[in-house]
Amino acid sequence: MSKLATCCVLSGLTGILGAVLAPQALAAETTKALIGQGHGGQDNTRAGKTAVDATANDTALQNAPVLTPALQAGPVTDADLYGEMRIQAGQYAAQNMHQILVGDFTCDGQPDRIAGWVDRDTPDGPFFDVLFVTRDGGKLSSEMKHIPFAQDKQFALCVADDTAPPPMSWQQVEPDYVRDVVGNAGLCTTAVRVEDFICDAPQFYWNKTADKNGDHWVFYRN
């Protein structure tokens, strides 16, 4: 075969290969362009997927129901007690020498706190102040009882001893006692007592159902 013929054959093969490979090269370049055109060589396919995922997540969050946190019961802390003491009796109340009872006095399985002190700052006093701090249904609440010293009153202590305050204590009673003696079967069976060792001790029982004044602590005396 002559050199001219050989050149023509080679030229023809080159043209055929070029025609076959050109579409593949174009497709490759197109794919490369689609994938690699992002800023700094970012993979736009990955970025597009991320954008789709983010949009789906935003939609899911927007459509998700709004959940209101349930009130959680829990123990009453010292900080709770002194905060309520400040609210109920003033910022200097905690400076009085006081007693603290810690225990489940509301029969909800969580510790409550009760503080008691002699209040000599009241013109009509003295009084023995008792502050009950609880979490009623998970909400912090408190009640204050001002017990006078007067022998002629049922809701009172008999004698104010200048050398020692009346001590507080608690007593576990039977369900039939709160039903038949105190007169309310719905009361917690833990009695909070204040003793002066002269008259019968005033007792207080937690009633989950508040009275018309919104008070939960029920007074009882033998």
Side-chain angles (χ1 to χ4, degrees), residues 15-29:
I16 294 172
L17 289 174
V20 172
L21 293 177
Q24 296 179 355
L26 179 61
E29 288 299 325

Side-chain angles (χ1 to χ4, degrees), residues 133-154:
V133 185
T134 64
R135 288 193 184 278
D136 180 23
K139 180 181 179 181
L140 188 69
S141 62
S142 63
E143 291 180 26
M144 176 81 88
K145 305 296 183 182
H146 303 281
I147 308 175
F149 293 91
Q151 294 189 13
D152 61 341
K153 296 180 180 180
Q154 178 72 1

Side-chain angles (χ1 to χ4, degrees), residues 144-200:
M144 176 81 88
K145 305 296 183 182
H146 303 281
I147 308 175
F149 293 91
Q151 294 189 13
D152 61 341
K153 296 180 180 180
Q154 178 72 1
F155 185 78
L157 292 160
C158 289
V159 176
D161 187 347
D162 291 335
T163 65
M168 299 189 308
S169 62
W170 60 270
Q171 179 182 5
Q172 197 68 40
V173 301
E174 296 297 327
D176 57 355
Y177 181 85
V178 296
R179 182 188 66 236
D180 301 332
V181 179
V182 182
N184 188 339
L187 300 178
C188 178
T189 54
T190 303
V192 177
R193 300 166 57 91
V194 183
E195 306 272 4
D196 65 4
F197 304 107
I198 303 296
C199 300
D200 293 333

Side-chain angles (χ1 to χ4, degrees), residues 5 9 11 26 31 33 48 54 59-60 65 79 128 137 145 147 192-193 202 205 220:
V9 171
S11 175
L26 179 61
T31 302
T59 302
F128 188 72
K145 305 296 183 182
I147 308 175
V192 177
R193 300 166 57 91
Y205 296 86
Y220 172 76

Side-chain angles (χ1 to χ4, degrees), residues 50-98:
T50 303
V52 171
D53 291 344
T55 302
N57 289 338
D58 289 343
T59 302
L61 288 173
Q62 292 173 2
N63 295 332
V66 177
L67 301 178
T68 303
L71 292 174
Q72 297 295 323
V76 175
T77 66
D78 283 337
D80 295 331
L81 174 69
Y82 288 114
E84 293 300 307
M85 186 183 294
R86 184 172 59 254
I87 293 170
Q88 293 276 11
Q91 60 179 329
Y92 301 113
Q95 296 180 9
N96 292 310
M97 296 182 67
H98 54 277

